[in-house]
């Protein structure tokens, strides 16, 4: 039983159309990363973990993500193929590690999509309650909790229905619509930063690190714990590598798109967090609609309503980007036989993986309607950090087996020092999570292993050759 059999992803021909440019990928990255993290998690992170010092947490998280982004860039340059980290690990470490990475990507994106949809619902509820004094019936106004009378969170479910329908369109149309929403989203953030500058009280920054630095391993609060939460803010950068089969000159375009989008997002997060904690004392920011709440706090209700309206419209971009990326990952895994073959079906009209998109949409709707946002965020992070550790190991293996990249390919500096550093950082961030998150991760991993043993191994296309 050879569970470490390898497959070169470049040998698999794609039926999808290559029509995406670097600018499309930058907007895809911005659409993925600038969403619930900036509109919601920044407030929670400041209130519970880092105070104004959350900006340091953001920088630490950005460094952790940035190092992994270098690995993605080299892999995308040397092994341009759909599936992202799943395909890269398949070519270097073998099938079983690749399946585990693919499984963790599925869990990460599925949970992230659901958490973003929940954040979207929180903003819409805030706008409806504050501006129109309207609330949904209790049974339809919260994730499953019969003791409180909640059975389903209806608004996020409705947005996921709309997103699934959108992603079933052809890729170029979906990403053009996504780009327009990203521009609108940045207009709201620019308004917040510019208007907020006039209301900053530097006394709110006087106790810059109220929870301290925390612990490198096992901490539950402080800057390092804040970094483990803010890691969530950057999730989605890897979605760019999953669009390889639809990108022109992917070995050049994908590394460029990853780098540009990550730099832009880091700057935006730092600015927004400084303004948030400068206007309102960090202890009051533990709300789901932190940016709008801050504007209302200083009487800028018109600006708060604009931000809420834009957040409602543009948090959809994260759902679009991640649903798009996840459906391509499921398509790649199915094409290799590790998931049912039906999920690798390509629509003749739109040239997109339609069955995979439908399956992703259905499961995201279920998760969105019944699981609370706070539970989702930590689980997303632990899945991501786990497979980024495997990706770091895969890069070391790639260099050992294939040597350094060629002149026209992207080269990650300081290998193996950077991959080892990435592993240490990821383990540190993972150690900050609650015990229940680790239990959930362990159960999910066990389910993934069972799926491979009972279905994936014997249905692999490698075995059938």
């Amino acid at each position: 039983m050879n569970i470490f059999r390898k497959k070169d992803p470049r040998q698999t021909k794609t039926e999808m159309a290559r029509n995406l440019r670097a600018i499309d990928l930058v907007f895809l990255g911005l659409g993925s990363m600038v969403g619930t993290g900036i509109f919601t998690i920044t407030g929670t992170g400041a209130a519970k973990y880092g105070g104004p010092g959350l900006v340091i947490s953001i920088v630490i998280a950005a460094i952790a993500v940035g190092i992994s982004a270098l690995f993605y860039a080299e892999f995308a340059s040397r092994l341009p193929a759909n599936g992202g980290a799943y395909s890269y690990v398949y070519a270097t470490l073998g099938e079983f590690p690749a399946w585990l990475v693919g499984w963790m990507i599925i869990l990460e994106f599925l949970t992230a999509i659901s958490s973003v949809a929940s954040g979207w619902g929180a903003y819409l509820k805030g706008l409806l309650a504050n501006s129109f004094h309207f609330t949904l019936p209790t049974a339809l106004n919260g994730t499953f909790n019969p003791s409180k009378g909640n059975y389903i969170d209806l608004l996020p479910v409705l947005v996921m229905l709309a997103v699934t329908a959108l992603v079933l369109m052809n890729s170029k149309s979906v990403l053009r619509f996504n780009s327009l929403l990203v521009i609108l989203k940045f207009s709201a953030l620019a308004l917040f930063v510019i208007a907020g500058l006039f209301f900053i009280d530097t006394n709110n920054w006087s106790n810059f690190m109220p929870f301290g630095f925390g612990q490198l391993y096992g901490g539950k609060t402080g800057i390092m714990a804040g970094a483990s939460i803010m890691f969530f803010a950057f999730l989605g950068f890897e979605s760019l590598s999953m669009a390889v089969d639809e990108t022109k000159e992917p070995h050049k375009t994908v590394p460029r798109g990853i780098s540009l989008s990550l730099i832009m997002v880091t700057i935006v997060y730092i600015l927004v967090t400084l303004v948030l904690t400068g206007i309102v004392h960090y202890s009051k920011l533990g709300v789901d609609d932190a940016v709008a709440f801050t504007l209302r706090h200083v009487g800028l209700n018109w600006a708060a309503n604009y931000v809420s309206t834009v957040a409602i419209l543009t948090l959809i971009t994260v759902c679009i980007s991640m649903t798009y990326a996840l459906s391509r990952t499921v398509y790649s895994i199915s094409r290799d036989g590790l998931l049912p073959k039906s999920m690798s079906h390509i629509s003749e009209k739109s040239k997109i993986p339609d069955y995979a998109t439908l399956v992703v949409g259905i499961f995201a709707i279920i998760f969105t309607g019944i699981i609370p946002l706070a539970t989702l965020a930590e689980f997303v992070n632990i899945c991501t950090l786990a497979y980024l550790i495997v990706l770091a190991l895969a890069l070391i293996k790639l260099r050992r087996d294939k040597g350094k990249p060629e002149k026209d390919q992207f080269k990650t500096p300081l290998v193996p020092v950077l991959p080892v550093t990435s592993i240490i950082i990821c383990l540190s961030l993972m150690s900050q999570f609650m015990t229940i998150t680790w239990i959930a991760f362990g159960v999910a991993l066990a389910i993934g292993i069972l799926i491979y043993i009972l279905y994936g191994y014997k249905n692999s296309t490698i075995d059938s050759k």
Side-chain angles (χ1 to χ4, degrees):
M1 184 174 181
N2 181 15
I3 63 173
F4 298 104
R5 50 196 175 185
K6 298 179 178 65
K7 182 176 182 178
D8 188 339
R10 294 170 296 181
Q11 296 175 352
T12 306
K13 300 291 183 182
T14 181
E15 300 174 57
M16 294 190 277
R18 292 191 184 276
N19 53 19
L20 304 182
R21 301 163 300 157
I23 189 65
D24 296 313
L25 294 188
V26 169
F27 276 104
L28 177 63
L30 296 177
S32 297
M33 289 185 276
V34 182
T36 302
I38 202 160
F39 286 110
T40 302
I41 304 298
T42 44
T44 305
K48 296 182 179 180
Y49 299 96
L54 189 70
V55 293
I56 302 174
S57 301
I58 291 169
V59 172
I60 293 171
I63 291 170
V65 171
I67 293 173
S68 296
L70 294 175
F71 308 159
Y72 267 100
E74 179 168 331
F75 273 115
S77 180
R78 300 183 71 178
L79 297 172
N82 213 9
Y86 159 76
S87 294
Y88 307 150
V89 173
Y90 211 148
T92 51
L93 299 179
E95 186 174 89
F96 179 61
W99 160 253
L100 290 181
V101 166
W103 178 242
M104 284 184 274
I105 290 173
I106 290 171
L107 293 174
E108 173 210 350
F109 273 75
L110 193 59
T111 316
I113 292 165
S114 303
S115 65
V116 172
S118 296
W120 175 89
Y123 264 84
L124 181 56
K125 290 172 192 174
L127 181 65
L128 292 174
N130 286 291
S131 300
F132 303 101
H133 308 290
F134 173 80
T135 55
L136 285 169
T138 304
L140 306 176
N141 202 31
T143 51
F144 189 75
N145 189 346
S147 64
K148 293 185 178 180
N150 301 134
Y151 291 92
I152 189 169
D153 204 359
L154 181 62
L155 293 179
V157 167
L158 293 177
V159 79
M160 278 312 305
L161 284 170
V163 165
T164 304
L166 278 170
V167 180
L168 283 168
M169 298 165 60
N170 72 73
S171 300
K172 193 68 178 177
S173 299
V174 172
L175 295 187
R176 188 177 293 120
F177 177 69
N178 180 71
S179 298
L180 290 172
L181 291 181
V182 168
I183 292 170
L184 185 62
K185 184 190 312 187
F186 272 78
S187 75
L189 294 174
L191 172 65
F192 171 73
V193 171
I194 293 169
L197 288 174
F198 296 97
F199 295 92
I200 287 177
D201 180 358
T202 54
N203 290 322
N204 288 328
W205 293 336
S206 59
N207 189 3
F208 198 72
M209 295 169 52
F211 301 99
F213 187 79
Q215 300 173 4
L216 288 177
Y217 286 90
K220 301 302 177 187
T221 190
I223 298 300
M224 285 304 298
S228 70
I229 294 299
M230 290 314 298
F231 190 84
F232 177 86
F234 295 94
L235 296 186
F237 78 95
E238 64 269 53
S239 63
L240 280 70
S241 67
M242 298 173 195
V244 166
D245 281 359
E246 297 163 274
T247 303
K248 298 175 182 178
E249 296 187 293
H251 66 288
K252 295 179 181 178
T253 307
V254 173
R256 195 175 300 143
I258 290 174
S259 303
L260 287 173
S261 57
L262 191 57
I263 291 168
M264 293 171 68
V265 168
T266 303
I267 293 170
V268 169
Y269 268 93
I270 289 173
L271 288 174
V272 168
T273 302
L274 282 172
V275 174
L276 270 178
T277 54
I279 297 175
V280 178
H281 194 265
Y282 71 88
S283 60
K284 299 177 181 177
L285 288 172
V287 294
D288 285 339
D289 56 347
V291 175
F293 168 81
T294 300
L295 291 170
R296 290 193 187 98
H297 181 78
V298 293
L300 294 177
N301 291 323
W302 63 272
N305 289 338
Y306 177 73
V307 168
S308 291
T309 303
V310 170
I312 290 162
L313 291 172
T314 61
L315 281 177
I316 296 173
T317 65
V318 185
C319 296
I320 291 172
S321 300
M322 289 192 170
T323 301
Y324 170 92
L326 180 54
S327 63
R328 271 62 180 173
T329 300
V330 171
Y331 160 78
S332 297
I333 298 173
S334 170
R335 191 172 54 177
D336 293 332
L338 305 183
L339 285 174
K341 270 291 183 184
S342 59
M343 294 187 204
S344 59
H345 179 268
I346 296 291
S347 165
E348 290 185 14
K349 183 179 179 181
S350 57
K351 297 297 180 184
I352 59 105
D354 48 357
Y355 292 176
T357 302
L358 282 170
V359 169
V360 167
I362 290 168
F363 276 94
I365 288 166
I366 294 170
F367 275 50
T368 298
I370 63 174
I371 303 177
L373 176 61
T375 304
L376 292 170
E378 280 207 2
F379 187 70
V380 169
N381 287 353
I382 199 169
C383 289
T384 309
L385 290 163
Y387 82 71
L388 288 180
I389 289 173
V390 181
L391 186 69
L393 294 171
L395 182 66
I396 295 172
K397 186 73 162 56
L398 177 68
R399 286 290 187 90
R400 194 176 73 179
D401 293 348
K402 304 292 184 182
K404 295 180 180 179
E406 296 175 6
K407 285 186 178 181
D408 64 336
Q409 295 175 334
F410 185 89
K411 179 185 176 183
T412 302
L414 300 174
V415 175
V417 175
L418 268 188
V420 171
T421 302
S422 176
I423 291 169
I424 293 170
I425 293 173
C426 288
L427 287 173
S428 172
L429 295 179
M430 289 174 75
S431 73
Q432 312 288 327
F433 296 130
M434 296 183 294
T435 303
I436 187 66
T437 305
W438 277 96
I439 293 172
F441 177 68
V443 171
L445 205 58
I447 294 171
I449 293 170
L450 279 176
I451 292 173
Y452 179 76
I453 293 171
L454 299 176
Y455 182 88
Y457 182 81
K458 62 183 178 182
N459 287 285
S460 169
T461 54
I462 294 180
D463 189 51
S464 63
K465 292 180 180 177

